[in-house]
Amino acid sequence: MIKGVCIVGLGAIGGWMAAHLSRVEGLRVSALARGDTLAAVRDRGLRLDSGKDSWQAPLRVSSNPVELGPQDLVILAVKGPALVDVAGQVAPLCGPRTRVLTALNGLPWWFTAGLPVPGLALKSVDPDGHIARMLPPERIIGCVVHASCFVQAPGHVRHVQGNGLLIGEAAGGASESVAGLAALLVRAGLGARAVESIQREVFYKLWGNMTTNPVSALTRATTDRILADELVRRFTTDIMREAALIGERVGCPIAQSPEDRHAITRSLGAFKTSMLQDIEAGRAIETAALLEAPRELAQQLGVATPMLDALLGLTRLMDGCRALRSG
């Protein structure tokens, strides 16, 4: 029975989930926050705007996980570059039976745990194994978010579209724990569904995002403009074909064609990717989880990825130059 939930990462997705969970009667919802977000939520609660609906969610917030204490569920909704530092902060929130739900972009450190191919590793997202030691796969429930939100101001989140959450055991298989969590999230007004293989869902979302995200960061273009350019669209298509071969080798086959996925992306209109939003806000970008991790898998599997390599190289170069300018 889940009675206490703590959200770590009170940004767009974490804030959206926290606000919905705060409406569940009898559920204690808290959050680990800092800086302006901590001050704003302490002062007036967390605000969520969704369509014509808007509400303030009172949350217990702290910058010190020890103050919040062990939880039944921790929702980890931070950006990949912050994970190494955050993993240690999650430990005081965990008791013997605490589960950790990860709402992250790209390939997470636990991705290889539930794959049918033994011996694969993702050092690109967890170089020395620190995250896995703090948060082993057996504790993790993976989550794929199909929703778009953004932070309008500290402690103020706007939900744009989508309401889907797919969840599953990081180590694979079904469980009562995942089924119970899905039911709780549905009670909170979120479109949650338990799945047998969360790895397949994680890889499918990566397949759709791993091109437009970095291309938008490189060019500052919205997705409609990216796909409108025939040469750029062909480049993204070639990368998606390389990634689909990686997915097939690790037991995560892609049923769609790149053209099918482009049609879905076009339907979003002039959409700003999360990586473009991070660039504009001066935040770190998730190159490791979106590009380095699938390339690392490809190298271990012997899959050639010249187009993915080119995109990774350009993205790293752009980000390195950005760091030099800001320094």
Side-chain angles (χ1 to χ4, degrees):
M1 176 71 71
I2 298 174
K3 295 182 179 178
V5 179
C6 182
I7 290 83
V8 178
L10 209 56
I13 297 302
W16 171 64
M17 295 179 73
H20 275 277
L21 286 164
S22 72
R23 288 183 152 184
V24 177
E25 187 176 352
L27 188 66
R28 301 187 307 273
V29 183
S30 60
L32 194 65
R34 62 184 181 180
D36 292 340
T37 300
L38 175 64
V41 176
R42 271 182 173 166
D43 183 44
R44 54 186 179 273
L46 173 70
R47 177 177 172 181
L48 177 67
D49 296 334
S50 183
K52 296 181 179 179
D53 198 6
S54 180
W55 71 91
Q56 297 289 135
L59 299 178
R60 183 187 177 199
V61 289
S62 176
S63 60
N64 183 357
V66 176
E67 287 183 5
L68 300 175
Q71 307 287 319
D72 299 311
L73 175 70
V74 175
I75 296 176
L76 188 56
V78 299
K79 295 287 187 178
L83 274 174
V84 171
D85 293 332
V86 168
Q89 292 183 299
V90 174
L93 300 171
C94 294
R97 297 186 178 182
T98 302
R99 302 304 306 269
V100 177
L101 181 76
T102 60
L104 309 171
N105 284 328
L107 299 186
W109 74 95
W110 51 260
F111 180 76
T112 59
L115 294 178
V117 183
L120 298 176
L122 288 179
K123 293 184 178 181
S124 51
V125 292
D126 190 13
D128 61 1
H130 170 74
I131 302 172
R133 287 192 295 274
M134 294 289 101
L135 301 170
E138 295 76 18
R139 191 183 284 277
I140 302 299
I141 298 175
C143 177
V144 174
V145 179
H146 290 292
S148 175
C149 305
F150 67 91
V151 175
Q152 189 150 311
H156 183 184
V157 174
R158 179 172 293 278
H159 170 237
V160 180
Q161 62 185 8
N163 192 40
L165 296 175
L166 301 175
I167 65 173
E169 291 284 354
S175 72
E176 291 183 6
S177 181
V178 169
L181 176 54
L184 173 64
L185 294 170
V186 169
R187 282 171 55 202
L190 300 166
R193 180 168 60 88
V195 297
E196 282 278 341
S197 173
I198 193 63
Q199 275 79 4
R200 288 192 179 193
E201 304 299 338
V202 166
F203 199 88
Y204 172 71
K205 185 175 181 182
L206 170 78
W207 181 74
N209 289 345
M210 66 188 293
T211 54
T212 51
N213 260 281
V215 170
S216 71
L218 288 165
T219 63
R220 309 303 196 267
T222 50
T223 53
D224 58 328
R225 297 185 67 188
I226 291 170
L227 293 180
D229 188 292
E230 180 184 354
L231 297 180
V232 177
R233 187 175 66 252
R234 188 186 307 164
F235 178 55
T236 64
T237 296
D238 289 343
I239 295 170
M240 293 171 79
R241 287 180 176 144
E242 292 176 354
L245 184 54
I246 299 168
E248 184 180 323
R249 296 283 184 89
V250 298
C252 299
I254 302 295
Q256 281 184 323
S257 69
E259 291 74 19
D260 292 335
R261 183 66 188 189
H262 292 332
I264 294 172
T265 304
R266 282 194 189 93
S267 71
L268 301 176
F271 182 74
K272 276 189 182 182
T273 69
S274 60
M275 193 176 276
L276 177 54
Q277 292 179 49
D278 288 340
I279 286 284
E280 292 179 342
R283 297 188 291 258
I285 59 174
E286 298 177 292
T287 307
L290 287 173
L291 294 174
E292 291 179 13
R295 181 176 184 266
E296 185 178 4
L297 285 179
Q299 290 179 315
Q300 293 174 68
L301 295 164
V303 176
T305 56
M307 297 301 178
L308 172 57
D309 294 356
L311 183 58
L312 171 57
L314 289 168
T315 304
R316 285 197 305 212
L317 181 60
M318 175 274 297
D319 201 31
C321 292
R322 184 170 69 118
L324 287 174
R325 288 194 296 270
S326 63

